[in-house]
Amino acid sequence: MALQRWLVVSLACFHAAALTIPPSCNDSHVDLSRLDVSMDPMEALSILQQATMRNLYLEEQRSMPQRSTCSLENAAYREHLCPRERKGFIQAVQCLRSKPSIADPDFAKAARTRYDDFTAVHVNLTNFIHGTGSFLTWHRYFIWSFEKALRDECGYAGYLPYWNWFSHADDPRNSPVFDGSDTSIGGDDAYFPHNGSAAFFGYVPLPPANGGGCIASGPFKDIQATIGPIAAGMSGMEPPVASFHEYNPHCIRRDLSPHVSSRFFTTANLLNLTMGDASKTSKSFQDEFNGRPQDNGFMRLHSAGHYTINGENTDIYTSVNDPAFVLHHAMIDKVFWMWQVLHPAESRKVAGTLTLQNNPPLGNATIYDPLIMGVNADTRMIHELMGTMDGTSLCYIYA
């Protein structure tokens, strides 16, 4: 059975903090009434995962045999990775950073590598893919195309892992994602005196943590970016470049902040987004995901991820330069995926405008708006990427 396969995959790469065991295929219900803001967020995430898998299983039984191109049996599984598998992912990312750019120079003059091609498309489209109706689906397609490049161009045999925000939220420096080991994506940066960060374009001040300098350990030690910075929110970053196209080699900085992660990676925020008031409509879900800076600087989960990492991740344009970006957005996509499965009536709706803060005003987004990936993938429409198992481009789930 598909759910049994999922359990085998999870057990094969056991992580005590991440493992969730699905209900029996004979069970007809996962008791979501057990969810409570007082429980550990990892436990709440486990229950939500079980309910999501159960709903997928039941939906597949109802829709068969109509659905044939993508099923729980052949879908890709994005999950926590064993150390040996993390090394494979890291090597593939390093491979993309070693291959030459294939982008049109008129589109990405500062790009030098295939990795830069992904930064370039994010930079060029920033004002159309943040705070807009395409935010969630565009970034879903973006990380999928990044995953595809890792597999097709660099021989990576796996799928995208994700950074589980709720594991080590009190001390992200000890997370296996950031602990500086050779199976992490690099540690906290060396200490660099700075005055902290200012989130939401300077609206929300944040105190400095213990990093701030160039990545000092792990497989991405001292890596350089060539694009940006453009609008970094952390003090001490290099002065912004004059244009998107200016070639500007600089190191990637981080300043891992428990101040942010411990305040926002909470059970209350997770449940509000997936089962609470914010989950009721596609608009409230997306608005809550992005945060409410006017409400005492309330970040919620998307912004909290960027400002837990800090450094390059505080730049809304060039945050892709840090490999942590794709792990953070894979976790965003996991929560989006769970919400869609648990709220099918709202899951195919789009809410929001076409531009950041509706500036300039170009109207509201629709499911027929294009998702542009430049040289990284064909242009698709939003409705084609609304389901991860629709069998168009996408066929994956999360473990």
Side-chain angles (χ1 to χ4, degrees), residues 131-144:
T132 64
S134 66
F135 166 70
L136 289 166
T137 46
W138 190 92
H139 284 83
R140 166 175 284 175
Y141 194 28
F142 178 86
I143 62 172
W144 178 87

Side-chain angles (χ1 to χ4, degrees), residues 107-188:
F107 181 80
K109 289 182 180 178
R112 296 295 184 272
T113 71
R114 275 293 286 129
Y115 190 101
D116 292 340
D117 293 344
F118 288 89
T119 301
V121 72
H122 190 270
V123 165
N124 277 275
L125 296 177
T126 283
N127 292 325
F128 303 94
I129 58 174
H130 295 95
T132 64
S134 66
F135 166 70
L136 289 166
T137 46
W138 190 92
H139 284 83
R140 166 175 284 175
Y141 194 28
F142 178 86
I143 62 172
W144 178 87
S145 63
F146 186 87
E147 176 185 74
K148 189 173 189 296
L150 295 180
R151 290 172 57 82
D152 293 353
E153 300 174 42
C154 290
Y156 178 50
Y159 298 95
L160 278 187
Y162 57 88
W163 165 36
N164 190 331
W165 307 312
F166 306 103
S167 175
H168 301 87
D170 290 337
D171 187 5
R173 302 179 83 183
N174 280 332
S175 165
V177 175
F178 296 112
D179 65 9
S181 66
D182 62 357
T183 59
S184 72
I185 59 166
D188 200 4

Side-chain angles (χ1 to χ4, degrees), residues 16-79:
L19 179 64
T20 58
I21 300 175
S24 164
C25 291
N26 295 322
D27 294 339
S28 61
H29 179 64
V30 176
D31 186 8
L32 292 175
S33 67
R34 292 185 293 153
L35 292 168
D36 185 86
V37 295
S38 64
M39 68 172 44
D40 183 90
M42 293 294 289
E43 182 183 359
L45 187 66
S46 173
I47 295 171
L48 289 167
Q49 176 79 26
Q50 291 177 13
T52 302
M53 292 299 294
R54 187 61 196 165
N55 282 16
L56 278 178
Y57 175 78
L58 294 174
E59 174 57 29
E60 184 164 283
Q61 302 313 299
R62 286 192 294 266
S63 64
M64 294 297 277
Q66 291 87 351
R67 176 180 297 202
S68 59
T69 60
C70 182
S71 70
L72 286 170
E73 290 295 339
N74 63 23
Y77 280 59
R78 292 180 178 172
E79 57 184 320

Side-chain angles (χ1 to χ4, degrees), residues 173-324:
R173 302 179 83 183
N174 280 332
S175 165
V177 175
F178 296 112
D179 65 9
S181 66
D182 62 357
T183 59
S184 72
I185 59 166
D188 200 4
D189 294 352
Y191 179 69
F192 177 84
H194 64 292
N195 296 322
S197 297
F200 297 109
F201 300 102
Y203 191 84
V204 182
L206 299 169
N210 296 314
C214 304
I215 297 176
S217 59
F220 295 107
K221 182 178 183 291
D222 297 326
I223 60 170
Q224 299 273 308
T226 61
I227 303 173
I230 295 170
M234 190 183 85
S235 69
M237 295 280 286
E238 287 83 354
V241 294
S243 79
F244 295 169
H245 298 295
E246 182 179 340
Y247 175 66
N248 182 40
H250 62 281
C251 74
I252 294 174
R253 299 177 182 269
R254 293 187 190 138
D255 187 30
L256 296 173
S257 172
H259 173 85
V260 173
S261 57
S262 62
R263 284 166 172 77
F264 297 105
F265 295 150
T266 64
T267 305
N269 283 345
L270 174 64
L271 294 186
N272 183 40
L273 196 61
T274 54
M275 299 302 298
D277 289 343
S279 73
K280 293 180 179 178
T281 68
S282 59
K283 183 181 188 309
S284 61
F285 175 80
Q286 181 168 294
D287 288 349
E288 188 71 2
F289 221 140
N290 281 320
R292 293 180 275 110
Q294 72 281 4
D295 185 8
N296 294 319
F298 209 91
M299 287 188 184
R300 295 303 185 193
L301 298 178
H302 171 218
S303 299
H306 286 289
Y307 282 91
T308 291
I309 303 168
N310 281 300
E312 196 83 26
N313 260 274
T314 66
D315 193 324
I316 191 173
Y317 294 90
T318 65
S319 51
V320 181
N321 279 332
D322 187 340

Side-chain angles (χ1 to χ4, degrees), residues 42 45 78 80 143 161-167 270 289 301 325-338 398:
M42 293 294 289
L45 187 66
R78 292 180 178 172
H80 289 269
I143 62 172
Y162 57 88
W163 165 36
N164 190 331
W165 307 312
F166 306 103
S167 175
L270 174 64
F289 221 140
L301 298 178
F325 177 95
V326 292
L327 303 188
H328 173 44
H329 273 271
M331 184 64 180
I332 290 172
D333 191 53
K334 174 181 170 71
V335 176
F336 180 32
W337 166 77
M338 289 194 299
Y398 286 91

